[in-house]
Amino acid sequence: MNNIVNISENEIVEGVLAEFSQLAKIPRPSGYEKAVSDYLYKLFSDMGCRVVQDDVNNIIADMEATEDCQEKPLTVLQAHMDMVCVAAEGVDFNPLTDEIKLVREGNLLHADGTSLGADDGMGIAIIVYIMKHLESHGPLRAVITVDEECGMTGAEKLAPEALADARYLINCDSEDWDLLTVGSAGSGDITFRQGFCPMRSSLPKLYRLKVSGLRGGHSGEEINCGGGNAIKALAACLHSWRQKGLAFDLVSFNGGRAKNVIPSMAEAVFYSDAGLEELAAAADESRQEFLAVYGSIEAGAVFAVEPVEDVEAIEAIGTAAGVGRPQAMDRYQKDNLIDLLMCLSNGVSAMSQLCPGLVQTSANLGVVRTVFEADRGEKYIEVQYMPRSANEGSILEYYRTAEILARLTDFELQTGRISPSWGERQDSRLAKLMLEVFAEQNGQPMRMATIHAGLECSWHLQKNPQLDIVSIGTNNNDIHSPSETLELDTVAPQVKLIAEVLCRI
């Protein structure tokens, strides 16, 4: 019996938000999940579960079947505990110490100037709520992983025993309430790095060139929306200046928030002997070239040049000495960086031949950083790049191209292991049941699709190829950005869907 079906939608929403609000108080950027893992360990233990916290801080929590459901197969409810922590420009926010401040406005929940963390805190909150309130169910296991956003290392390092005895797995990390995800792309992890090669610029004036106002977005879900990439746009502008013979020495280049986010802003600090009016005109010319390609999507793009008044702030990243004029990178390194950024393929490169409209292969130039680590006196330039594909051979092609580009531009190359793709299972009983229950409960069909974004389901299937897996979620908009919102009226339908499916399994 599914008692949750008799709970009002308002009660469900309030109950789930109560769980989510506790998570929002705990800083949990990728790689720093120990505190939230400890919280979840105690939470599930207090619920009567047998809980394991593994070596990487994944949580595996088992709840026994109720007496009337002893014969049902084990079902895993799965989410990830880390989040992409970003703040709007000008917002003072430390992701390692500051909580997420929730703001509720009508049907929308968002954060005060930062990302919300509904990806995937809402998945956890829904799992906890269901396990607390469902009165009749088979054996349940909550698997809450670490580091999904930066490398899926939690899913990769999860012990096979955590999934070996399960028949079904419901992943709660999708972003559309009426979409049943049954497959996802694989991805790669490519980083170019080079020590900073300093020189004293003879050019007199210090400026900042900033590209902003682009739409950005998730590099899996929105890579095919036709928008631009701020890092590529900034590199193209600097390349154009080189071609025109406009003299400039580059102090820093910074842009993007994460390798899986399309960058909406990037900026370069540089010396030049040109006047502000000449530089602004050159930047506007680059903007017009950019709009000729992306204008229908990126009409709000801004290419702005301004003098740098706060030299001390630049010195903090511009020179290890911290005195005098900030150092520039030598001109050979400047050219190599611009060449690398210009040559890296960005956006969609192939569409699926089997699923019309689905992206098969793409790449995202996600982050460029000029980093000064004062405690070690180390300064370097880092470029983070992420290819995706349903075909792992296509990701290998990006890796091979990256090797050549790194050699040609004198960058060191670091490549991570390839996250596998998750292929659709044609005989999925779980998918059929999900579609059936959703239609009954909501009076409309549920869409079913393979997506270009990556999900941990691919790693779970590696551990247990017999698993029947689907992924669902609430409507989470503008994830990985300070504009992230959760549509509250999609919470209760997800809870009721999972609860009913668990009763029918």
Side-chain angles (χ1 to χ4, degrees):
M1 176 183 175
N2 176 12
N3 64 295
I4 287 180
V5 74
N6 297 316
I7 301 176
S8 72
E9 293 201 354
N10 183 64
E11 285 181 272
I12 292 173
V13 170
E14 296 304 323
V16 172
L17 286 185
E19 304 295 344
F20 182 72
S21 65
Q22 295 303 309
L23 292 170
K25 295 176 182 178
I26 307 170
R28 49 191 176 93
S30 303
Y32 298 89
E33 300 98 338
K34 184 61 167 66
V36 69
S37 180
D38 289 345
Y39 166 78
L40 292 170
Y41 182 92
K42 183 178 186 305
L43 175 64
F44 282 112
S45 298
D46 291 346
M47 290 164 56
C49 297
R50 299 189 312 276
V51 188
V52 173
Q53 184 181 50
D54 70 14
D55 292 342
V56 296
N57 291 316
N58 292 322
I59 293 293
I60 303 98
D62 280 287
M63 179 172 280
E64 293 183 357
T66 53
E67 289 187 8
D68 58 330
C69 297
Q70 296 290 328
E71 302 303 315
K72 287 183 178 289
L74 173 64
T75 300
V76 174
L77 303 177
Q78 194 267 317
H80 65 86
M81 66 184 79
D82 62 315
M83 64 173 285
V84 173
C85 296
V86 292
E89 192 172 353
V91 173
D92 185 16
F93 175 68
N94 185 335
L96 299 181
T97 59
D98 296 346
E99 67 180 66
I100 302 297
K101 298 176 182 178
L102 303 181
V103 179
R104 188 170 179 177
E105 294 181 333
N107 183 48
L108 297 180
L109 184 74
H110 63 90
D112 184 11
T114 69
S115 47
L116 177 62
D119 173 20
D120 190 24
M122 186 50 54
I124 298 174
I126 285 175
I127 290 170
V128 171
Y129 181 87
I130 289 171
M131 292 178 70
K132 278 186 175 182
H133 291 86
L134 188 60
E135 294 178 355
S136 178
H137 56 81
L140 299 178
R141 177 174 297 155
V143 174
I144 315 297
T145 54
V146 301
D147 194 36
E148 188 271 350
E149 299 291 1
C150 283
M152 296 194 185
T153 54
E156 180 188 6
K157 295 181 179 180
L158 183 71
E161 293 76 18
L163 302 174
D165 54 345
R167 184 179 302 177
Y168 301 108
L169 186 147
I170 302 174
N171 170 274
C172 300
D173 189 26
S174 289
E175 315 299 340
D176 297 282
W177 80 287
D178 63 343
L179 177 67
L180 183 69
T181 301
V182 293
S184 63
S187 63
D189 184 2
I190 297 174
T191 300
F192 301 87
R193 187 165 170 170
Q194 188 177 101
F196 194 89
C197 301
M199 75 167 195
R200 291 288 178 183
S201 175
S202 61
L203 300 176
K205 301 173 185 176
L206 194 61
Y207 295 97
R208 177 184 287 106
L209 168 63
K210 185 173 182 179
V211 175
S212 61
L214 276 61
R215 60 176 287 165
H218 189 282
S219 68
E221 297 179 355
E222 298 171 273
I223 198 73
N224 62 335
C225 291
N229 179 306
I231 291 172
K232 293 287 287 186
L234 180 59
C237 185
L238 295 176
H239 174 61
S240 175
W241 289 5
R242 289 191 306 185
Q243 290 182 312
K244 292 181 172 69
L246 200 159
F248 67 95
D249 291 330
L250 201 56
V251 173
S252 63
F253 191 123
N254 293 283
R257 298 189 297 264
K259 65 176 181 288
N260 59 354
V261 179
I262 302 168
S264 61
M265 187 275 287
E267 66 175 34
V269 174
F270 62 96
Y271 289 104
S272 181
D273 57 2
L276 180 59
E277 185 175 338
E278 180 183 1
L279 291 170
D284 186 65
E285 185 175 337
S286 292
R287 178 178 181 272
Q288 296 306 318
E289 293 174 355
F290 176 83
L291 292 178
V293 179
Y294 301 103
S296 61
I297 302 294
E298 303 288 12
V302 176
F303 288 51
V305 182
E306 62 181 10
V308 173
E309 306 293 347
D310 187 2
V311 176
E312 290 184 1
I314 299 301
E315 286 173 354
I317 63 166
T319 173
V323 294
R325 301 178 82 214
Q327 293 170 320
M329 62 184 76
D330 72 33
R331 288 163 187 169
Y332 179 73
Q333 183 173 54
K334 174 194 74 174
D335 286 338
N336 276 340
L337 175 61
I338 296 172
D339 288 348
L340 175 63
L341 299 180
M342 290 295 292
C343 288
L344 285 172
S345 172
N346 187 81
V348 176
S349 63
M351 300 297 291
S352 172
Q353 299 298 307
L354 300 175
C355 303
L358 175 67
V359 176
Q360 175 169 291
T361 304
S362 74
N364 182 57
L365 176 50
V367 176
V368 179
R369 303 190 301 158
T370 306
V371 182
F372 174 46
E373 296 179 351
D375 55 336
R376 296 192 295 179
E378 182 180 3
K379 189 173 180 184
Y380 57 89
I381 302 165
E382 184 176 270
V383 178
Q384 298 178 18
Y385 187 58
M386 185 178 187
R388 298 179 188 266
S389 184
N391 185 327
E392 292 176 22
S394 295
I395 299 175
L396 283 173
E397 289 182 359
Y398 280 100
Y399 276 38
R400 290 165 183 152
T401 301
E403 291 175 8
I404 296 170
L405 289 176
R407 185 170 66 249
L408 292 175
T409 58
D410 287 337
F411 274 82
E412 296 177 5
L413 180 68
Q414 301 171 358
T415 54
R417 50 77 186 121
I418 294 176
S419 295
S421 58
W422 163 34
E424 179 178 345
R425 178 172 171 168
Q426 298 296 324
D427 62 344
S428 172
R429 178 172 180 262
L430 183 56
K432 182 179 179 181
L433 191 54
M434 281 275 177
L435 295 172
E436 177 184 297
V437 172
F438 184 92
E440 289 177 8
Q441 291 181 338
N442 299 284
Q444 67 181 68
M446 191 177 202
R447 297 176 293 135
M448 184 170 66
T450 295
I451 62 172
H452 188 56
L455 288 169
E456 292 171 296
C457 305
S458 58
W459 285 107
H460 302 329
L461 200 61
Q462 299 286 310
K463 308 294 173 62
N464 179 358
Q466 302 306 313
L467 267 177
D468 194 348
I469 307 176
V470 299
S471 180
I472 59 173
T474 52
N475 277 9
N476 304 330
N477 306 310
D478 298 318
I479 61 172
H480 302 172
S481 82
S483 302
E484 180 183 358
T485 58
L486 163 69
E487 296 180 23
L488 294 172
D489 60 2
T490 65
V491 173
Q494 291 293 293
V495 171
K496 292 191 174 188
L497 173 62
I498 296 171
E500 183 62 25
V501 166
L502 290 175
C503 287
R504 294 192 192 183
I505 282 176

